[in-house]
């Protein structure tokens, strides 16, 4: 799932799938909030939305971090 940092970046199918999963989770939370008209329901929905948002942030951070160079692939700017 990690990308190479050379050339233009394109969105992969895995990234689109994860985005779709998170959009589905947010719509389910909004439906939950529509059926639970109370302060407790709003707090529960806010807590779950925060958890979903943090999962999305960490997923994008992990999948977009640069790869570590291996012995066969020297770091950029260093002669091979």
């Amino acid at each position: 799932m990690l990308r190479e940092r050379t050339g233009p970046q394109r969105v992969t199918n895995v990234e689109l799938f994860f985005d779709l999963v998170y959009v589905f989770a947010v719509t389910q939370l909004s439906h939950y909030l529509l059926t639970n008209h109370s302060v407790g329901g709003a707090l529960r929905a806010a807590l779950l939305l925060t958890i979903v948002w943090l999962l999305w942030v960490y997923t994008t951070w992990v999948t977009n971090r640069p790869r570590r160079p291996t012995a066969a692939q020297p770091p950029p700017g260093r002669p091979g």
Side-chain angles (χ1 to χ4, degrees), residues 32-33 35-48:
Y32 174 80
L33 191 56
T35 59
N36 294 302
H37 299 285
S38 67
V39 174
L43 290 174
R44 189 172 295 127
L47 175 67
L48 290 171

Side-chain angles (χ1 to χ4, degrees), residues 1-77:
M1 279 196 328
L2 295 178
R3 298 181 187 193
E4 294 293 329
R5 294 289 180 182
T6 58
Q9 301 292 316
R10 299 214 43 168
V11 178
T12 64
N13 290 333
V14 173
E15 290 173 310
L16 291 175
F17 174 74
F18 276 116
D19 286 344
L20 185 62
V21 167
Y22 291 122
V23 167
F24 179 74
V26 170
T27 58
Q28 292 299 306
L29 284 172
S30 67
H31 285 287
Y32 174 80
L33 191 56
L34 284 172
T35 59
N36 294 302
H37 299 285
S38 67
V39 174
L43 290 174
R44 189 172 295 127
L47 175 67
L48 290 171
L49 180 62
T50 302
I51 292 169
V52 168
W53 179 73
L54 285 172
L55 285 171
W56 179 78
V57 167
Y58 291 135
T59 301
T60 56
W61 179 73
V62 166
T63 57
N64 287 318
R65 67 188 167 114
R67 290 185 181 197
R68 288 186 172 167
T70 61
Q73 175 188 12

